[in-house]
Amino acid sequence: MGMRSGLAEMSDAELFAAAAAEIPEDDYLDPVPHLVALHERPTRQVFATAVRLLTDDDPDARELGARVLRELGPRDDEGRRPFGAEAIPLLVGRLDQERDPRVLQWVISALGFNCAREALGEVLRFTGHPNRWVRFHVAAALPALVDPDRIEPGALEALRTLCGDEEADTRYYALHAMVEEISGADPELVTRSLADLLDDPDEQIRELARTHLTAVDRG
């Protein structure tokens, strides 16, 4: 309670400074309480600061801007956030400009967390990106970017490609998206992907593939 109370009393500038100090040090799963506090402060001022950071010369600043926009404010019933309509075009525009893969991964993630279905085609271009974390975030974002009733063929093909990624985390996220998070996928293509992963080096992936392939066979 004391920590949250202290964060609430901090100014926007203080929170941004503290969040900037947190982010370069984290390993993705480390706590980022000041960043979370900014997410819980969806004001025009916080949004404007994040937008300005998104085009800063310093990649650490651009990363912070993207990560603030990623979860700024609660989602509505359609998955949109308070400033999503303004943030999404800026994030999409950043995709063509960004050369730092660490920033790029968070821009892609921010599009997913804002349910930016209009950005699907732009995000799919990064399915084969040389950076493993960019590919990981494509796999993680795709379920929020596709038609919830029938996944677009290009997105399904991207997930199938990512199911064969060299990184186990990316393969798992892609497979989980395909069998747990989307609907309307071509059953034959899904079955092929499941069969291909039955001998995957990662036990968790093998188990997920085996469980769903068994369900398909019983169905």
Side-chain angles (χ1 to χ4, degrees), residues 155-164 174 178 189-190 192-193 196:
L156 179 58
E157 191 56 42
L159 287 175
R160 293 192 68 226
T161 297
L162 292 165
C163 279
M178 188 182 298
L189 293 179
V190 173
R192 284 185 206 167
S193 294
D196 289 343

Side-chain angles (χ1 to χ4, degrees), residues 173-186:
Y173 265 72
L175 179 61
H176 188 275
M178 188 182 298
V179 298
E180 298 276 2
E181 298 180 77
I182 63 174
S183 60
D186 184 327

